[in-house]
Amino acid sequence: MTDHPIPAARPENPRFSSGPCAKIPHYSLDMLSDAPLGRSHRAAVGKAKLAEAIDLTREVLAVPADYRIGIVPGSDTGAVEMAMWSLLGARGVEMLAWESFGEGWVTDAVKQLKLDATVRKADYGRIVDLTQVDFDKDVVFTWNGTTSGVRVPNGDAIPADRAGLTICDATSAAFAMDLPWDKLDVVTFSWQKVLGGEGAHGVLILSPRAVERLETYTPAWPLPKIFRMTKGGKLIEGIFKGETINTPSMLAVEDYLVALKWAQSLGGLTALIARADANAAAVRDFIAGKDWIADLAEDPATASTTSVCLKFTDPAIKDGAAFAKAVAKRLEKEGVALDAGAYRDAPAGLRIWCGSTVETADVAALMPWVEWAYRAELAAQ
């Protein structure tokens, strides 16, 4: 089939899915033994667990003391929708999209909320020119494109004295990238991403400016109960103290607490960022100089360090989409990379999750297998 040798080393953990993502190293279900199963989330023990999750989130992410943090339903999608439906419409809106989830937020703003929004889009592998964005409008964007492998490099383009709100979907950035809190008014994420938690729960973080908007603006459209954050013109503070809108999974909350405490044991956010950076570097060091594979991200300054997207560039490949799927399938069959194919709406290729729960040694062990699978599939055409 091919003369390319089978690599000697194998990743100890072949889980490279971009969500839900790999659990923390040496994970065991025994770590969840303190979960208050069969108890009400409104009981003292349940409230204490939820409040601890909020407090540790603030500590690990270094969220300012005057920002509210809430655990909300519907994963990151629920958190983003809560923010959009509750906050948008008070002033002009700019929607920024450079991947499929950003495209989804555009659709919701324009077709569901029927806002006359300015829409700025970039192709996969690029982000929009942030210097052209009017931040006196409300701006909705993803920090890291989970499906496109690109990210906002920093918050320099966002003015400190902006009149609008910045609403940032940071689901594949939080805990792996440095988020400039003074430039962000709403931040959302799901703990199933960088910390490898279980799905279904979202986190919504609000700046004082976002709270002020909530308390002074009533949208023209009706809000479902699950989106309501105010009552009588005042923020429902309980949401941001662990009194969730609907019933959370206390098993999933316990799992999140385990991951947060693991993050603390490493040294917090700085250590988490360093792990993701090292993982992404292991991928990019391997592909450097190769003529058959390349980073989907065109500018290294905007290249993701969590969802690293790759494209095959060999002109000898006959059917790019079929080839990429076959390589991903071959890697899975060998048990060296699970769920490493590109997102269904993205350009054909591979997507290797390099978030903070992944071990750099596993990434380094995977890359020779990628070359082996590529050469094997090329020979099989």
Side-chain angles (χ1 to χ4, degrees), residues 78-119:
V80 175
E81 297 287 6
M82 281 181 74
M84 290 176 58
W85 283 69
S86 299
L87 295 166
L88 296 184
R91 58 172 55 240
V93 177
E94 293 215 9
M95 304 294 300
L96 315 183
W98 41 79
E99 51 106 42
S100 61
F101 291 104
E103 291 270 7
W105 309 144
V106 171
T107 297
D108 289 350
V110 175
K111 294 187 177 181
Q112 300 301 321
L113 297 178
K114 301 189 185 305
L115 296 170
D116 184 18
T118 299
V119 178

Side-chain angles (χ1 to χ4, degrees), residues 40 145 215:
S40 170
E215 294 184 335

Side-chain angles (χ1 to χ4, degrees), residues 186-204:
V186 178
V187 173
T188 69
F189 66 86
S190 167
W191 59 53
Q192 59 145 316
K193 292 291 187 181
V194 176
L195 287 189
E198 293 305 296
H201 299 76
V203 174
L204 177 68

Side-chain angles (χ1 to χ4, degrees), residues 102-159:
E103 291 270 7
W105 309 144
V106 171
T107 297
D108 289 350
V110 175
K111 294 187 177 181
Q112 300 301 321
L113 297 178
K114 301 189 185 305
L115 296 170
D116 184 18
T118 299
V119 178
R120 301 180 187 273
K121 297 183 181 182
D123 292 335
Y124 280 83
R126 304 177 183 177
I127 67 170
V128 303
D129 183 353
L130 296 173
T131 65
Q132 300 300 308
V133 176
D134 182 2
F135 286 97
D136 285 337
K137 296 180 180 179
D138 294 334
V139 181
V140 181
F141 64 102
T142 55
W143 190 272
N144 182 81
T146 311
T147 67
S148 63
V150 290
R151 64 172 177 174
V152 177
N154 51 57
D156 293 354
I158 303 173

